[in-house]
Amino acid sequence: MRILHTSDWHVGKVLKGRNRFEEHTKVLAQVIEIAQAERPDLVIVAGDLYDTAAPTADATRLVTRALSALRKTGARVVAIGGNHDNGAALDALRPWADAAGIELRGSYPKGDLSDLLIEGTTEGGERWRLVALPFLSQRYAIRAAEMYDLSAAEANQTYADLVARLIAKLSEPFAEAGVVNLLTAHLTIVGASAGGGEREAHTIMGYAVPATVFPPNAHYVALGHLHRSQQVISPCPTRYSGSPLAVDFGEEENISSVAIVDVAADQAARIRDVPVTSALTLRTVRGSLDQLAKVNLPDAWLRVLVREAPRPGLREDVQELLPNALEVRIDPDMLPNRTSERAAERAGRSPRELFGDYLDSRGNAEEGVRELFDELYDEVSSNQ
């Protein structure tokens, strides 16, 4: 059978105030084109369909239409909730999804966990089963009262143990021969590389689990959450597909793609990445205004580190040269680091002197700034 593995769409993402809806539309259209060309039996979307738990109507429409289009290629489609998704809201779409032949698993059922085990048979007669694990919050996994009594290390280990037990229980049917055993989850694996734009609170060690939680008789594990495409050292073939577009400047070196997996009950998984190139690239450039004037990157969003002394209007000058500059900052190399040296000198100094030191440290010699501070300080002081 053939599987298309994708994750971390983050539809609705706003980058430095810039809405990326058009990019997401093109990216998902390309993912659909890849599915049409590759003809997978199964499409797995391993969480974070949305960037926020309260997606807009446009974002919801784009995601549901993309899932429907993937289903129309003839593939079974399974999508799970990620840490950015509202699991309950995804589950509320289950009636629509069921009618469309799409398997949505937004959150964990309160009763029978068998709902997380999905089975099917390809047109070629290959039987498969898939354990689908949405993102599991540590608060949900460990009762609040217990978390207060546990140390951080104990809570981390308890979380990892619970995930391991959950996977072991749900993958018990993997013992049957002649079936392709699959698992998808939205979580952090110890030792894997973050992509750069993940939500830090959910990628720290408290949410990391060892790859040994996966059963050795799984044919393929399709992971989401980390945005960099990568293979994971594991008892079975395990991979993060990565995000199909770079969601933040920390991901500018990532190669956006989806994973295509060919596997059979008696054959090891063969994995290849298919690039997704529809989104604008993200780039960091640095230099003086003269150097920036020579930059020619019309098809990229830019983070600009300016090698100039700070002054009013500098940001506007940069954006006139580079209209795609979403973030403009002074290059940190231009800013002297004398914080520790000045700390001992601050005691007993007047606000005027301290403000003067601040301006000096930033190289700001703009006329009238010190005089304006003096006027404002005198006004405030006289009213006290």
Side-chain angles (χ1 to χ4, degrees), residues 153-197:
E154 290 171 335
N156 298 350
Q157 186 59 53
T158 300
Y159 178 81
D161 290 344
L162 286 171
V163 171
R165 290 166 55 193
L166 176 65
I167 291 175
K169 180 64 177 178
L170 288 171
S171 60
E172 285 179 353
F174 286 10
E176 181 184 356
V179 183
V180 178
N181 297 316
L182 307 168
L183 187 147
T184 183
H186 194 87
L187 44 73
T188 304
I189 299 300
V190 174
S193 300

Side-chain angles (χ1 to χ4, degrees), residues 249 252-253 281-308 318-319 321-334:
F249 284 105
E252 59 185 282
E253 299 301 326
T281 57
L282 306 184
R283 292 289 181 266
T284 297
V285 297
R286 65 178 70 204
S288 65
L289 287 178
D290 289 340
Q291 292 169 325
L292 295 174
K294 301 175 183 177
V295 172
N296 183 25
L297 292 170
D299 297 323
W301 297 122
L302 302 178
R303 174 172 58 183
V304 182
L305 304 180
V306 192
R307 299 188 64 83
E308 299 271 355
V318 171
Q319 290 182 319
L321 293 173
L322 301 170
N324 282 357
L326 300 186
E327 181 179 350
V328 179
R329 294 190 285 123
I330 301 297
D331 191 330
D333 293 342
M334 295 288 293

Side-chain angles (χ1 to χ4, degrees), residues 46-60:
D48 279 357
L49 287 79
Y50 301 103
D51 190 62
T52 171
T56 64
D58 284 341
T60 302

Side-chain angles (χ1 to χ4, degrees), residues 177-315:
V179 183
V180 178
N181 297 316
L182 307 168
L183 187 147
T184 183
H186 194 87
L187 44 73
T188 304
I189 299 300
V190 174
S193 300
E198 300 89 352
R199 184 171 292 171
E200 183 178 356
H202 292 151
T203 54
I204 56 177
M205 292 307 296
Y207 279 91
V209 300
T212 52
V213 299
F214 301 128
N217 56 356
H219 289 82
Y220 182 71
V221 175
L223 296 178
H225 190 31
L226 301 187
H227 296 175
R228 179 173 296 157
S229 174
Q230 59 192 291
Q231 194 81 10
V232 175
I233 298 176
S234 169
C236 56
T238 302
R239 188 166 187 82
Y240 284 100
S241 67
S243 176
L245 81 170
V247 302
D248 208 339
F249 284 105
E251 302 181 8
E252 59 185 282
E253 299 301 326
N254 294 354
I255 299 175
S256 299
S257 61
V258 299
I260 300 295
V261 184
D262 291 301
V263 64
D266 58 354
Q267 294 180 6
R270 301 188 305 277
I271 307 165
R272 55 190 167 89
D273 290 332
V274 178
V276 178
T277 57
S278 300
L280 295 182
T281 57
L282 306 184
R283 292 289 181 266
T284 297
V285 297
R286 65 178 70 204
S288 65
L289 287 178
D290 289 340
Q291 292 169 325
L292 295 174
K294 301 175 183 177
V295 172
N296 183 25
L297 292 170
D299 297 323
W301 297 122
L302 302 178
R303 174 172 58 183
V304 182
L305 304 180
V306 192
R307 299 188 64 83
E308 299 271 355
R311 60 173 174 80
L314 181 58
R315 176 185 178 86

